[in-house]
Amino acid sequence: MAYRQERGDTLVEVLMAIVIISVVIVGAMTMMSRGLAAAQVAVEHSQVRMSVNGQIEMLRFARDSYVANPTDPSGLQWAAVIAGSNVTAITYDTSCNVTGGKQGFYMTKSGTQVTRTVYTPATPATVATPGTGMWIEAVLSPAGIQPAFVDLVIRACWQGSGAAGAQRTATAVRLYDSSR
């Protein structure tokens, strides 16, 4: 009777093994879920950063067009930026809602022309794009400062899908304006 000397696993041992495996699986799933959320946040920030860089390039293009030819349609947009540059800080609450009645602007491109458009506050559901959760604020250098410059702050605010709560970013750019 060799069978009586062989012992199988008891019910308690089997249950403990199942509990340990379950804890390991749940821990791995939790870490994977957090990793995916962090990756989503990184993707959203990268997309917003690309849009911000596009806005900066359009602003530089408008400024350079104005310097080369003040009557160029894109150059006239730079003149509009200068004319509207007495903007004070735009405030927004924790839900990315713009408050205080201030207006920013954003740049769009059609063919080889850029256009300055007044920003109408709109909070996107996921990633900020120019005109929807992304705007530019411009402030002129004080009178008498040479060379004259314009400080441009490109702000983005959106409800991220990879993280709870509002996501925000701001980039400041100083463009010198030799025409003033």
Side-chain angles (χ1 to χ4, degrees):
M1 290 275 169
Y3 294 113
R4 288 186 183 212
Q5 293 180 1
E6 292 181 19
R7 260 187 93 219
D9 294 329
T10 65
L11 184 58
V12 173
E13 291 171 332
V14 171
L15 287 176
M16 287 302 293
I18 290 173
V19 167
I20 291 170
I21 289 173
S22 298
V23 167
V24 169
I25 290 172
V26 167
M29 296 284 281
T30 301
M31 287 191 323
M32 190 168 56
S33 176
R34 287 182 184 168
L36 288 173
Q40 179 64 32
V41 168
V43 166
E44 290 170 5
H45 279 268
S46 294
Q47 289 173 330
V48 168
R49 175 60 46 205
M50 287 189 302
S51 291
V52 166
N53 289 344
Q55 292 293 294
I56 293 169
E57 289 306 313
M58 284 187 269
L59 286 163
R60 285 185 177 135
F61 178 77
R63 191 252 340 246
D64 294 346
S65 296
Y66 183 81
V67 170
N69 180 4
T71 61
D72 179 78
S74 293
L76 292 173
Q77 299 305 308
W78 179 252
V81 168
I82 299 299
S85 290
N86 56 354
V87 177
T88 57
I90 295 174
T91 57
Y92 51 95
D93 63 19
T94 57
S95 300
C96 296
N97 295 317
V98 175
T99 60
K102 305 292 184 194
Q103 287 188 329
F105 65 95
Y106 61 97
M107 304 298 283
T108 57
K109 183 178 179 190
S110 177
T112 60
Q113 302 299 317
V114 295
T115 305
R116 177 190 179 273
T117 305
V118 173
Y119 176 69
T120 303
T123 303
T126 53
V127 178
T129 57
T132 308
M134 182 181 292
W135 68 91
I136 304 168
E137 301 169 23
V139 179
L140 294 175
S141 60
I145 302 261
Q146 288 299 324
F149 60 85
V150 179
D151 284 334
L152 301 150
V153 180
I154 300 137
R155 297 189 189 275
C157 188
W158 70 99
Q159 297 297 326
S161 60
Q167 300 290 307
R168 293 183 186 89
T169 187
T171 301
V173 176
R174 177 171 284 179
L175 294 180
Y176 290 94
D177 183 18
S178 61
S179 64
R180 293 189 307 124

